[in-house]
Amino acid sequence: QVQLVESGGGLVQVGDSLTLSCAASGRTFSNVAMGWFRQAPGKEREFVAGISWDSKRALYDDSVRSRFTISRENAKNMVYLQMNSLKPEDTAIYYCAGSRGLLPTFRKNQYNYWGQGTQVTVSS
């Protein structure tokens, strides 16, 4: 059974940092791109960041560029999202996703594996 399990979410203050982790099991994801999405209450799920299979390319939404960093460790089947300078508008459930292809994309329909999500709340 293929699983993506996110961890590392929590309640933080404005300006704090947080690192999310995604553990993949059931198959290897080392040969596909991975991504992070988020969904705030009452809003659609949106792309946050993506990384190519070989870590050579990363893609970020403009709202998180320069604050968030996506990385992966293929040997461990892990993906990470380092989040710095957190803002209240970053509050959402964050989802890890496995792509159909090699390169990162912001298109949700290109990701066919999803985790259950981890809550991130940024308090002012």
Side-chain angles (χ1 to χ4, degrees), residues 108-123:
K108 276 184 296 189
N109 61 8
Q110 293 301 306
Y111 294 83
N112 54 347
Y113 292 104
W114 294 86
Q116 294 299 306
T118 184
Q119 176 71 48
V120 173
T121 303
V122 184
S123 173

Side-chain angles (χ1 to χ4, degrees), residues 42-91:
K43 295 188 177 182
E44 290 192 4
R45 193 171 299 188
E46 63 178 11
F47 173 78
V48 175
I51 188 168
S52 61
W53 70 279
D54 58 358
S55 300
K56 290 185 178 180
R57 296 190 189 184
L59 188 65
Y60 296 94
D61 183 76
D62 287 345
S63 65
V64 306
R65 196 186 310 277
S66 80
R67 298 189 299 123
F68 291 10
T69 302
I70 188 171
S71 62
R72 65 189 298 166
E73 288 187 273
N74 285 344
K76 296 182 179 180
N77 242 6
M78 295 289 294
V79 183
Y80 307 96
L81 185 68
Q82 172 69 41
M83 306 185 294
N84 298 327
S85 303
L86 283 162
K87 305 175 180 180
E89 51 264 44
D90 294 319
T91 295

Side-chain angles (χ1 to χ4, degrees), residues 20 22 39 50 99 104 113:
L20 305 183
C22 172
Q39 188 167 16
S99 172
Y113 292 104

